[in-house]
Amino acid sequence: MRLACAAAAISVYLSCPPAIAAGYADDACATRLIETAADVSVSNGRRYATRTVYRSKHEAAIDFIDGGTTTLAVEGPFGWTRNDSGATPGGEQEKGFALGHQFHALLLHFDDIIDDAHHADAIAFRGGLAGGRSGVSPYGGTAHLILGPEPERPLGMKFEPPGHGPVEIVFSDWRRRGGRDLPWLVTIHDGDDVYTYKYSSISVRERSPLRFYEEAGDTGLDAVDIYRLHRRILAAHCLGDAEMMARLMTPEGIVANRGELLLSTRNELLSNMTGLFERLDYRSYEDTAAPLVEVSPAGDFGWIGVKVRASGIEKTNGEPFRSEWAWILLARKIDGEWLGAGNASNQPPT
């Protein structure tokens, strides 16, 4: 598998130097998960299989199965790769490779994944001209969703990466599943080879907010694990799970907020969060900026800085609530598990 700007298939589009992101938003309450499995044949005679899981443009992974299994993922601010020897940190290249192979996610959520998506006419595609949706990819270049005579069945996609010729993707073998039409055959023309993805499984359904981590699997990378700790804390709000919140924390932690400095025990946190979830139903909890993570040289202490926005319903009166925060979560590694050890938080001035 090549991971370079001249790489095969869609990787050429999303593995080149990134453009500046237009914005960042990732909701820890979101439950839509897209999972696929496919057998792939290449015009040069190679064969392999893939599995993908997609939760958002910031949480996506793909397994390449060819004897062993190689996984590439984008997870928040991180890219990573894992094979039979273990996991290693990655960057924009790995993030783009993982996202670029989420063909059904790009089909169903083009405007959410691609920046500045807008209607476009006269897009050159497969020797003719077609209309569709166009925009800027998160990792540079232009992306197009090619529309055809049937609005629910686009003809395919086209990517124009910097420094490389266009990559064209053709959808076919449409089948109706779960109230939607989806292509079960995807053919990729990258200018050199043709890649045919024959799908054996496509699942689009609501799952637990934590499901992506189960499907992507453990990495053993401390920075990624601290990021996951933060996302699990947000998800615990979405699930209204006070016991989960308590399990994610050390027995005693430091809290700095509104001019106060306190020590909080796990039991006190459990009591406070139980009361909070009795009053508030969290419907959304978003990272609104890419989290910043640091890990100590010893690998037993770290922190994550985040900017978030929460919204939901007050259970007592049905009124909506919305709040924004920035905080630094302290994290400590105990018996191989990263736990929250305290935080300092603030809100924007009113």
Side-chain angles (χ1 to χ4, degrees), residues 213-273:
Y213 311 120
E214 299 171 10
E215 292 299 315
D218 294 334
T219 67
L221 301 173
D222 289 328
V224 174
D225 286 345
I226 291 174
Y227 168 76
R228 287 188 181 184
L229 168 65
H230 156 68
R231 294 289 288 182
R232 286 186 171 108
I233 289 171
L234 298 191
H237 287 73
C238 310
L239 298 169
D241 192 337
E243 291 186 358
M244 176 180 169
M245 280 285 297
R247 289 195 304 271
L248 293 171
M249 301 299 173
T250 55
E252 188 172 74
I254 300 172
V255 178
N257 183 259
R258 302 186 185 190
E260 297 292 337
L261 182 63
L262 305 170
L263 289 175
S264 175
T265 68
R266 186 177 279 167
N267 286 337
E268 288 172 337
L269 175 67
L270 176 61
S271 176
N272 291 337
M273 298 309 297

Side-chain angles (χ1 to χ4, degrees), residues 119-133:
H119 178 75
D121 294 313
I123 303 168
F125 182 74
R126 307 306 298 152
L129 296 176
R133 304 286 294 169

Side-chain angles (χ1 to χ4, degrees), residues 316-332:
T316 55
N317 55 22
E319 292 294 322
F321 73 86
R322 178 188 175 96
S323 61
E324 296 186 27
W325 297 84
W327 68 62
I328 291 178
L329 172 72
L330 305 179
R332 189 177 297 279

Side-chain angles (χ1 to χ4, degrees), residues 107-145:
L107 166 65
L108 295 173
H109 302 292
F110 185 86
D111 284 16
D112 293 328
I113 297 172
I114 302 302
D115 298 325
D116 190 31
H118 60 276
H119 178 75
D121 294 313
I123 303 168
F125 182 74
R126 307 306 298 152
L129 296 176
R133 304 286 294 169
S134 295
V136 179
S137 85
Y139 297 90
T142 304
H144 310 277
L145 178 66

